[in-house]
Amino acid sequence: MMDGGEVRVHIVGLGPGDAGLLTRDAERLLGSGLPVILRTRHHPTVAALTFAGRVTDCDDLYATGGRFEEVYAAVAERVVGAAEVGPVVFAVPGHPLVAEQSVQAVLALAAERGLGVRVYPGVSFVDAALPALGIDGADLQVCDAHAVRVDTWRPALIGQVYSRDIASELKLRLLEWYPADHRVRVCSRLGTEAARVEELPLAELDHRPFGYLDAVFVPPLEPVDDVRRFDGLEYVVRRLHAPDGCPWDREQTHATLRPHLLEEAYEALEAIDRGDPAALEEELGDLLLQVLMHAAVAEREGEFVLGDVFEQITRKLVRRHPHVFGEEEAHTAEEVYRNWEALKQAEKPRTSILDGVPRTLPALAASQAIQGRARRVGFDWPDIDGPLEKLREEIGELARAGDGAAREEEFGDILFTLVNIADRLGVNAEQALRGANEKFRERFGAVERLAAARGLDLRELDLEALDRLWEEAKAGGGAL
C-alpha cells in the first residue's frame, strides 16, 4: 500500500509469536538501520531480533490509562511525527492489517499530512490459529475483543484477548448472543512451540489467565439455536412459512392475522399498565412475532419482504431526526415534535389535518387525536370555560332526546366534549377510562368476596343491601 511519493513510513508485522515466522521484508527493514518504532515490546520476536538502528516503543502510551482510541491516536502521532523528520519503520504484532487498529490510525494521519506509507504483508494470529484449531478459514470472522460484532451462524476468531479483564468483558458481550454453555476454544501462545488449545464453556471464559498471544475461537450456532438475536427468530418464522413448513402458518393472510395483531398489542399495553416487566417481555415477543408473520405473508404473496420493512422505518427515523443525523438543531422535545410534524407533512402532503388518524383507533383515543390536531390550527375554545359550558348544554340535550338514535347522538357529543376537557387537563381519556374500569373491576370483586364470605347471593339482594356492600368495599380500598 502506497500513499504520496517517497515512502516515509514502512509498516511491518512481527508475526504471531515465533521469530521464525518473520517475513524477509520485515527482517530486511528491521535490520536496515532506519529508526524502528515498536507498538509494543511485549512480543517474543522482539527479543530475538538484532536492530541496526535506534529502537523505541509505545508501551508508555498504554500506561496513561486512556481509551484505546486515544492511545492509538497517540501512537499514530509518534510514528508520523518521526516520519516527518525522516523514514521510519513501524513494527506491530502479527499482520499489520489484521486486527491492528494502530495501523489504521497511522494510515489516516499520514494521509492527512501527505506522507507516503507502505504496508508489508506478514503472518497473522489467524494464520497461526487455523492449524492449531484444525479448521478451514473460508467462512471465518476475525474480530477485535474491544469491538466485537459477530454473526453467530459463522465461526469467529477473536484477537486482542490479552488479559482476564478483557476476557470478562468479552464473555459478557458474547453472552448477549450465545448460551452460557456454548463451547468455545482458547488458543494460547499462538505462533510459538508452546501453543495449545483449551475448550471450555463460554461462562468460564474468564476463569483462566490470558496473555498477549492468546485468542478465542467461537464456533457457530445452528440457526434454530440462535434464540437471542433477531436473525434466529426470523429463521424460525421463515421455516414455518416454507413449502414444507407448518400448514396453519402457510394458510394465514393479513386478514386472518389481523385480530392477533390487535390482541397482542392490547396484551402488551396491559402488561405496561400492570407494571409487570416479565409479562411485557413476553408480550413484546408475541407482538414482534406478528410483525414477522405479516412480513412472511407479504413475501409469500409477492407484496414486499422484511428488508423493505426495515428500510422504510430506518430511513424514516434518519430523515425525521436531522438534529441527530444531520445539521439541524433541536434542543427540546417540543422542537423535535414540531420538526417531526413539518417533515411528515412535507413527505406526505394531506388535504386535511385530520388525515392519518386511523379510523381503527379506540373511539376515545381517536377523539383525543382528532381534537388535538384541530387545536393546533386554532379550532378550539380559548379556555376550559367553553367546553364546560358545552358539556352542560349537551347533557340538557340528552335529557330532552326523544328516541334511541337521538340519545346515541347526544351521548356521543357528551363524550366528545369530555375528551376535549381531558385533553386540556393533560389527561389521557382512553387511559382514564381504562383506570376507572379497572378500579370498578377490583371494587366489584371485593363486593363479591364480601357477599360470598357472608353466604349472600348478590342476585337476591336489594339495592340498599348492595349499596352497603359497595360502601364497605370502598372503605377498604379508597373512594370511587
Side-chain angles (χ1 to χ4, degrees):
M1 175 193 254
M2 197 78 120
D3 288 313
E6 177 193 359
V7 177
R8 302 297 288 270
V9 183
H10 300 269
I11 304 180
V12 300
L14 296 174
D18 194 306
L21 297 176
L22 201 64
T23 66
R24 289 185 178 179
D25 278 337
E27 285 184 330
R28 174 177 59 80
L29 285 162
L30 293 171
S32 66
L34 290 175
V36 174
I37 301 176
L38 303 169
R39 179 171 71 75
T40 178
R41 290 183 184 269
H42 298 289
H43 194 282
T45 299
V46 174
L49 293 174
T50 301
F51 299 98
R54 184 171 62 87
V55 181
T56 58
D57 61 63
C58 301
D59 288 324
D60 61 303
L61 299 176
Y62 290 88
T64 62
R67 294 183 299 111
F68 280 102
E69 294 82 357
E70 297 169 346
V71 172
Y72 293 142
V75 169
E77 184 61 48
R78 179 168 294 180
V79 172
V80 174
E84 288 177 321
V85 178
V88 299
V89 177
F90 180 45
V92 300
H95 189 299
L97 296 178
V98 178
E100 186 54 59
Q101 295 182 37
S102 68
V103 170
Q104 297 303 315
V106 168
L107 291 174
L109 187 60
E112 181 182 315
R113 298 187 183 176
L115 296 180
V117 180
R118 181 171 180 180
V119 179
Y120 299 81
V123 179
S124 73
F125 80 99
V126 179
D127 298 300
L130 292 178
L133 291 164
I135 63 170
D136 189 304
D139 202 33
L140 184 68
Q141 302 168 91
V142 178
C143 309
D144 188 319
H146 299 293
V148 178
R149 183 180 177 87
V150 298
D151 174 1
T152 62
W153 299 4
R154 297 168 55 206
L157 183 63
I158 304 171
Q160 303 283 17
V161 193
Y162 50 78
S163 74
R164 185 172 288 178
D165 287 342
I166 292 174
S168 293
E169 293 175 8
L170 175 62
K171 179 185 78 172
L172 293 175
R173 183 67 169 149
L174 293 177
L175 285 173
E176 295 179 20
W177 308 310
Y178 298 89
D181 61 354
H182 190 60
R183 307 292 291 184
V184 300
R185 284 179 257 176
V186 176
C187 306
S188 302
R189 297 186 287 276
L190 282 173
T192 72
E193 293 184 356
R196 66 188 182 92
V197 176
E198 176 189 359
E199 184 174 287
L200 68 166
L202 174 57
E204 299 177 11
L205 180 61
D206 54 353
H207 294 186
R208 62 185 305 286
F210 280 82
Y212 286 94
L213 302 180
D214 294 357
V216 175
F217 175 72
V218 185
L221 286 175
E222 289 296 323
V224 74
D225 296 325
D226 186 17
V227 297
R228 294 188 59 83
R229 295 190 317 139
F230 188 87
D231 287 0
L233 176 59
E234 183 187 2
Y235 168 82
V236 170
V237 174
R238 284 183 177 275
R239 182 69 186 84
L240 293 174
H241 285 262
D244 60 343
C246 173
W248 183 89
D249 287 279
R250 287 188 50 77
E251 288 181 0
Q252 300 311 301
T253 65
H254 295 305
T256 62
L257 290 171
R258 184 182 185 278
H260 301 295
L261 179 60
L262 191 60
E263 178 183 345
E264 299 300 351
Y266 277 122
E267 289 183 0
L269 290 174
E270 184 177 354
I272 293 173
D273 292 342
R274 292 203 312 267
D276 189 340
L280 181 59
E281 174 189 313
E282 179 180 354
E283 299 305 340
L284 287 177
D286 292 342
L287 190 55
L288 179 58
L289 172 60
Q290 294 305 310
V291 174
L292 288 172
M293 291 285 283
H294 279 281
V297 169
E299 183 171 355
R300 191 173 69 231
E301 298 297 325
E303 298 167 342
F304 56 82
V305 298
L306 188 59
D308 298 321
V309 177
F310 290 154
E311 181 178 2
Q312 286 280 355
I313 187 59
T314 303
R315 291 190 183 281
K316 180 188 295 185
L317 286 172
V318 172
R319 195 167 57 243
R320 294 190 185 175
H321 288 81
H323 55 289
V324 176
F325 301 103
E327 303 300 322
E328 300 294 329
E329 292 189 5
H331 303 289
T332 67
E334 180 60 29
E335 288 178 321
V336 172
Y337 178 77
R338 286 199 303 268
N339 291 345
W340 179 282
E341 288 298 319
L343 289 165
K344 185 164 66 172
Q345 177 61 24
E347 293 168 13
K348 297 180 178 179
R350 290 172 171 146
T351 57
S352 170
I353 195 171
L354 303 183
D355 290 347
V357 178
R359 297 182 184 276
T360 52
L361 272 180
L364 287 178
S367 179
Q368 198 149 12
I370 289 170
Q371 295 189 65
R373 293 194 179 199
R375 182 176 297 112
R376 289 202 292 272
V377 295
F379 191 81
D380 198 5
W381 289 282
D383 53 44
I384 200 169
D385 292 338
L388 287 174
E389 176 60 34
K390 182 65 173 176
L391 178 61
R392 287 189 284 270
E393 176 189 325
E394 295 296 350
I395 291 174
E397 291 181 2
L398 175 64
R400 295 188 296 273
D403 57 35
R407 293 190 191 101
E408 181 176 312
E409 180 180 351
E410 298 303 337
F411 190 77
D413 290 344
I414 290 173
L415 290 176
F416 194 84
T417 306
L418 283 170
V419 168
N420 185 285
I421 295 170
D423 204 33
R424 286 177 172 277
L425 297 175
V427 172
N428 183 306
E430 184 76 24
Q431 189 62 30
L433 184 55
R434 285 181 182 277
N437 289 344
E438 191 59 32
K439 185 161 58 174
F440 183 87
R441 187 194 299 269
E442 293 175 3
R443 188 76 47 74
F444 194 77
V447 169
E448 290 177 314
R449 290 189 294 274
L450 286 171
R454 297 167 188 177
L456 302 175
D457 187 340
L458 292 180
R459 289 167 294 187
E460 296 178 356
L461 299 179
D462 59 22
L463 184 58
E464 185 178 350
L466 288 170
D467 191 54
R468 283 197 300 270
L469 288 174
W470 181 261
E471 291 300 323
E472 191 173 344
K474 279 176 62 175
L480 179 64

